[in-house]
């Protein structure tokens, strides 16, 4: 089966100058955990996840810790999040986007989602325009 | 690609009852039990999107959604195969209730919510997405009411942007949203006359009044004007011709009128997008709308039956 046959046909995406607070609002309300970033032509140029935002809001030494219980104070996280709320998402997005083309095989999408531990994967056409997303649940639904 | 814009979508909640007990006389009459009920994503543009998707036409539905009901709208559309591209807003997408009484289904009772307000910031955000989508658009459908606090000029702005991008525009609306949109000279216009039988202040109550008002619109450059005249008939005005389209179906055969008018437009659009001539498109649209009204389910699609029904549609030149 091809990716376009199993993907969720949703074009919810943002431009790189969108503010972090706008991104959080949409992720929260739309029930998404990440967001494709597109240019004015609708071409995929980046990707940002909840994880990227949490990482951006945590103290610099976080990655050296094995557990969040080492963070001395949650207020630190809240304060940092408030500080980045009016930053453009470009500052925190991933520029090397893992994605698939609409005519790729579903197995390729499944392989990437499993190996890279992704919740969803943007789908693009030949011109790199966003045409949908493949979520873990899309794969599970079609495997059933 | 066809893009539909429904700024104020809805959940259509439909109930079929024996009789709606409006005057509560006795304790027993507090309760009306529904014989049947149904729920579906709704709003004029969304209905057109669903019809087109069922006809196998790729299309993108845009607009504003919010809250739990917003999720229901988006989920329904995706299940129908419509591509979604909505802006999420504060507040809840509205719910519109229709009650059909036994043997009076052709005169349903409608309770439409106003919808949640949409802020200027959300409109700006939508405009950027819309501009991006126009690069892929052949037709743009602007349909339905506007949410509270939204400028009545929205459809004019969207129609001008679409025309500039080379897309044809279909507008189905009422009131100031329609009046303003006419300044952008859309390709096809259908005034929503469910509440007010008027357009730009001119009455649309009789055939001659529809023709007089319609000719004035056509003179501005609008190519096709479709006006509901009777439940089973419409008047269509172009620069060269005026038609009265009629169906032989009796209104008492109708079971579900919700969305039937939008299916009519969806049918016309489907045929025009395929390159068919206008007469065939009108016949097809009317047949599709009638079939939809005759079926229990909202937005009926059965190409074979629509083609059969086309034989019973008369197109008379006035």
């Amino acid at each position: 089966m091809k990716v376009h046959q199993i993907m969720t046909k949703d074009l919810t995406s943002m431009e790189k100058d969108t503010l972090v607070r706008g991104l959080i609002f949409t992720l929260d309300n739309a029930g998404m955990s990440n967001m494709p970033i597109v240019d004015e032509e609708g071409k995929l140029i980046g990707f940002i996840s909840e994880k990227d935002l949490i990482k951006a809001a945590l103290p610099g030494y976080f990655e050296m810790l094995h557990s969040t219980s080492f963070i001395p104070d949650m207020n630190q996280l809240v304060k940092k999040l408030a500080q980045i709320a009016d930053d453009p998402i470009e500052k925190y997005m991933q520029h090397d986007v893992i994605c698939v083309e609409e005519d790729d095989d579903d197995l390729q999408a499944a392989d990437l989602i499993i190996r890279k531990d992704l919740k969803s994967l943007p789908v693009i056409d030949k011109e790199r325009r966003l045409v949908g997303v493949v979520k873990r649940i899309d794969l599970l639904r079609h495997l059933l | 690609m066809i893009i539909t814009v429904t700024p104020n979508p809805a959940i259509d909640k439909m109930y079929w009852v024996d009789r709606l007990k409006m005057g509560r006389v006795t304790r027993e009459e507090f309760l009306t039990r529904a014989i049947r009920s149904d729920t579906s994503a709704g709003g004029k543009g969304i209905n057109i999107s669903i019809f087109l998707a069922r006809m196998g036409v790729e299309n993108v539905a845009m607009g504003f959604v919010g809250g739990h009901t917003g999720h229901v709208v988006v989920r329904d559309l995706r299940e129908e195969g419509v591509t979604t591209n909505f802006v999420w807003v504060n507040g809840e997408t509205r719910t519109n209730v229709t009650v059909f009484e036994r043997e009076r289904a052709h005169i349903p009772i409608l309770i439409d919510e106003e919808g949640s307000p949409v802020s200027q910031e959300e409109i700006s955000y939508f405009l950027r997405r819309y501009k991006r989508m126009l690069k892929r658009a052949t037709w743009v459908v602007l349909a339905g009411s506007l949410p509270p606090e939204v400028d009545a000029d929205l459809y004019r702005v969207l129609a001008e942007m679409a025309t500039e991008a080379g897309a044809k525009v279909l507008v189905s609306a009422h009131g100031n949203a329609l009046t303003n949109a006419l300044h952008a000279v859309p390709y096809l216009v259908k005034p929503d006359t469910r509440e007010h039988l008027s357009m730009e202040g001119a009455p649309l109550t009789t055939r001659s009044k529809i023709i007089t008002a319609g000719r004035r619109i056509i003179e501005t450059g609008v190519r096709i004007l479709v006006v509901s005249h009777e439940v089973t008939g419409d008047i269509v005005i172009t620069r060269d011709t005026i038609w009265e389209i009629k169906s032989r179906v009796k209104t008492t055969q109708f079971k579900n009128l919700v969305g039937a008018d939008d299916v009519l437009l969806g049918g016309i659009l489907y045929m025009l997008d395929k390159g068919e001539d206008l007469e065939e498109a009108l016949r097809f649209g009317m047949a599709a709308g009638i079939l939809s009204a005759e079926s229990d389910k909202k937005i009926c699609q059965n190409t074979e039956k629509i083609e059969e029904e086309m034989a019973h549609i008369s197109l008379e030149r006035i």
Side-chain angles (χ1 to χ4, degrees), chain A:
Chain A
M1 208 173 257
K2 299 292 179 194
V3 164
H4 69 83
Q5 293 170 292
I6 64 160
M7 70 184 184
T8 296
K9 295 207 282 186
D10 181 39
L11 303 181
T12 304
S13 54
M14 292 185 152
E15 291 184 11
K16 61 184 182 182
D17 59 353
T18 307
L19 303 183
V20 167
R21 68 170 73 248
L23 169 69
I24 292 174
F25 176 85
T26 302
L27 290 178
D28 184 19
N29 285 278
M32 298 167 75
S33 51
N34 43 51
M35 184 70 69
I37 317 292
V38 295
D39 66 10
E40 286 176 0
E41 302 290 317
K43 291 180 183 176
L44 186 69
I45 56 163
F47 193 70
I48 188 161
S49 67
E50 295 162 326
K51 220 166 153 182
D52 295 321
L53 290 176
I54 292 168
K55 243 164 82 175
L58 282 171
Y61 56 84
F62 172 69
E63 292 205 27
M64 292 187 290
L65 303 176
H66 294 295
S67 160
T68 48
S69 59
F70 287 96
I71 298 173
D73 170 10
M74 259 323 251
N75 283 337
Q76 238 184 324
L77 175 64
V78 175
K79 265 189 206 161
K80 192 74 194 296
L81 204 54
Q83 277 170 20
I84 68 164
D86 291 320
D87 285 350
I89 54 178
E90 181 183 17
K91 218 167 156 183
Y92 310 106
M93 74 185 198
Q94 304 165 34
H95 293 268
D96 293 325
V97 195
I98 303 167
C99 59
V100 283
E101 282 195 21
E102 55 186 339
D103 288 325
D104 286 344
D105 289 329
D106 55 351
L107 270 179
Q108 199 175 332
D111 176 61
L112 281 169
I113 283 177
I114 295 162
R115 268 193 309 117
K116 305 279 182 186
D117 190 26
L118 303 168
K119 283 190 177 169
S120 67
L121 197 58
V123 182
I124 56 172
D125 65 10
K126 295 268 177 242
E127 290 157 64
R128 218 182 152 75
R129 289 180 307 198
L130 182 74
V131 292
V133 285
V134 183
K135 300 178 191 167
R136 285 180 190 171
I137 193 70
D138 294 326
L139 292 167
L140 292 170
R141 196 172 49 231
H142 285 275
L143 283 172
L144 252 183

Side-chain angles (χ1 to χ4, degrees), chain B residues 41-227:
Chain B
K44 290 191 157 294
I46 282 175
N47 292 340
I48 293 173
S49 263
I50 293 174
F51 176 77
L52 290 173
R54 289 183 184 176
M55 296 298 294
V57 179
E58 284 282 334
N59 72 90
V60 180
M62 300 187 77
F64 304 92
V65 286
H68 170 68
T69 43
H71 281 280
V72 178
V73 166
V74 169
R75 189 200 61 203
D76 269 15
L77 284 169
R78 287 180 193 155
E79 278 175 6
E80 292 282 356
V82 176
T83 301
T84 51
N85 193 350
F86 285 88
V87 170
W88 286 84
V89 297
N90 267 318
E92 189 86 8
T93 293
R94 65 195 177 132
T95 299
N96 291 342
V97 176
T98 307
V99 182
F100 300 100
E101 287 180 301
R102 193 187 289 276
E103 289 168 9
R104 286 173 57 86
H106 58 293
I107 320 167
I109 295 157
L110 311 177
I111 304 170
D112 282 10
E113 287 181 8
E114 196 186 17
S116 293
V118 171
S119 69
Q120 192 48 50
E121 191 187 352
E122 289 156 345
I123 295 278
S124 307
Y125 184 48
F126 171 83
L127 289 175
R128 289 181 78 175
R129 279 206 202 184
Y130 176 72
K131 197 175 169 192
R132 275 202 314 257
M133 290 307 302
L134 285 179
K135 289 173 181 154
R136 315 184 200 180
T138 51
W139 275 93
V140 173
V141 176
L142 308 171
S145 63
L146 298 179
E149 295 173 26
V150 168
D151 194 325
D153 222 21
L154 182 68
Y155 281 156
R156 182 190 62 78
V157 172
L158 299 182
E160 281 176 356
M161 287 170 74
T163 306
E164 206 181 307
K168 288 177 181 163
V169 180
L170 185 163
V171 177
S172 172
H174 71 278
N176 289 339
L178 173 66
T179 304
N180 293 0
L182 291 174
H183 294 298
V185 195
Y187 190 89
L188 197 161
V189 173
K190 184 169 194 307
D192 177 4
T193 52
R194 285 175 304 169
E195 275 183 88
H196 305 289
L197 282 169
S198 65
M199 179 174 56
E200 285 196 301
L204 299 172
T205 43
T206 63
R207 196 164 86 164
S208 64
K209 283 177 179 165
I210 291 172
I211 293 169
T212 307
R215 276 198 174 125
R216 220 177 47 239
I217 301 297
I218 291 296
E219 275 166 20
T220 65
V222 170
R223 302 286 286 275
I224 306 163
L225 179 75
V226 182
V227 184

